Amino acid sequence: MNVVPTSENGSPPVYREIAEELRGQIRSGRYADGDRLPGENTLMEHHGVARATARQALSVLINEGLAVAVRGSGIYVRQFRPLRRHGARRLSKDLWGNGRAIWQTDSDTRGYEVEGLVVDEVVPAEHVLRSLGLAPGDPAVRRSRRYLVEGRPVQSAVSYLSPLLWAGREDSPAARRVRAPDSGPGGIYARLAELGHAPAHFTEEIRVRMPTPEEAEELALSPGTPVLEVARTALTSDHRPVEFNEITMDGSAYVLQYDFDA
């Protein structure tokens, strides 16, 4: 009769030991990005464990973002160097004021793609109206998009702007660009500056939560992967709100960096 190994005397559970072995093989390069990992049957035979134990070991790697399950095919290595999101540097006027996209600080030299960009006019939810200082029923221009790095979805964002910002100047180049898919060099913040509403202050609130089914599908998240929810408001020098942005980020794809003076 075969004896299924178990952990004793306070040692790590067997499934964690198996996961650690696979993790080490991924980091050493034995299994590269896109390679298929040993399946449950292989792990059961090699380690002499039950199927539930093999499944738990693979689940650890999936939950860590090191592997992804492909239905009907197997478990594959999914290595991705996290993006470093520098809270202050990415919103600096030196960046967008010189025609650069704030996303360039996140993706570094890896580049990024914008996918599914839609610009429309809506009556936003109450919390958006409140953030922009609008009255109930007021419209706002909504810009929705998804960002990909190395072909991987990492973030979706929906920003809102009040048409009052360009009232009487609807046909100006900056106002047209704000309402167009291509907002031009420096993005929305550069256009707001041209309209006389340059962002001078930003406030962000960040919380971690589990994704909705729609978010998990949009960002191609592995089971158990949380998202970072960012609510950012851009304000002028006299603290007038000019943009409200709701951002949903793949929690396994980012490192958040903030620098402070003592």
Side-chain angles (χ1 to χ4, degrees), residues 117-131:
L117 195 154
V118 175
V119 183
D120 56 7
E121 187 171 289
V122 299
V123 175
E126 181 180 348
H127 72 280
V128 177
L129 292 170
R130 186 169 57 251
S131 296

Side-chain angles (χ1 to χ4, degrees), residues 9 74 116 183 258:
N9 301 322
S183 56
Y258 297 91

Side-chain angles (χ1 to χ4, degrees), residues 77-241:
V77 176
R78 186 187 188 185
Q79 287 184 292
F80 183 83
R81 180 162 54 90
L83 300 167
R84 185 168 295 274
R85 185 182 190 272
H86 194 291
R89 187 183 304 154
R90 67 191 310 273
L91 296 173
S92 168
K93 185 178 179 180
D94 290 339
L95 190 73
W96 53 263
N98 288 298
R100 299 177 64 200
I102 63 176
W103 247 83
Q104 289 179 260
T105 62
D106 291 353
S107 58
D108 194 18
T109 59
R110 299 157 72 181
Y112 66 95
E113 304 171 62
V114 180
E115 184 178 81
L117 195 154
V118 175
V119 183
D120 56 7
E121 187 171 289
V122 299
V123 175
E126 181 180 348
H127 72 280
V128 177
L129 292 170
R130 186 169 57 251
S131 296
L132 290 176
L134 297 175
D138 280 352
V141 170
R142 178 176 63 183
R143 300 178 61 89
S144 308
R145 62 275 191 200
R146 182 172 73 158
Y147 295 94
L148 294 85
V149 172
E150 298 172 354
R152 170 177 171 170
V154 295
Q155 177 187 126
S156 63
V158 183
S159 55
Y160 299 87
L161 302 103
S162 168
L164 297 175
L165 297 172
W166 53 85
R169 292 181 290 170
E170 287 83 0
D171 292 330
S172 67
R176 289 200 303 268
R177 276 284 181 85
V178 165
R179 294 171 287 167
D182 182 1
S183 56
I188 291 299
Y189 295 154
R191 303 293 79 76
L192 289 173
E194 292 167 2
L195 289 165
H197 306 294
H201 308 282
F202 296 92
T203 177
E204 284 192 344
E205 294 181 356
I206 301 174
R207 73 183 182 110
V208 180
R209 60 173 173 80
M210 298 309 296
T212 65
E214 294 77 16
E215 291 168 338
E217 181 178 359
E218 183 178 30
L219 295 176
L221 300 175
S222 300
T225 303
V227 293
L228 301 170
E229 182 182 80
V230 181
R232 181 177 71 230
T233 306
L235 307 104
T236 61
S237 58
D238 59 355
H239 289 267
R240 178 186 181 186

Side-chain angles (χ1 to χ4, degrees), residues 4-7 12-19 22 39-40 43-44 47-60:
V4 176
T6 59
S7 297
V14 173
Y15 77 90
R16 290 196 177 278
E17 294 176 353
I18 297 172
L22 291 171
E40 293 176 9
L43 294 178
M44 290 167 60
H47 294 280
V49 296
R51 183 174 300 277
T53 301
R55 185 171 299 158
Q56 279 184 294
L58 293 170
S59 294
V60 169

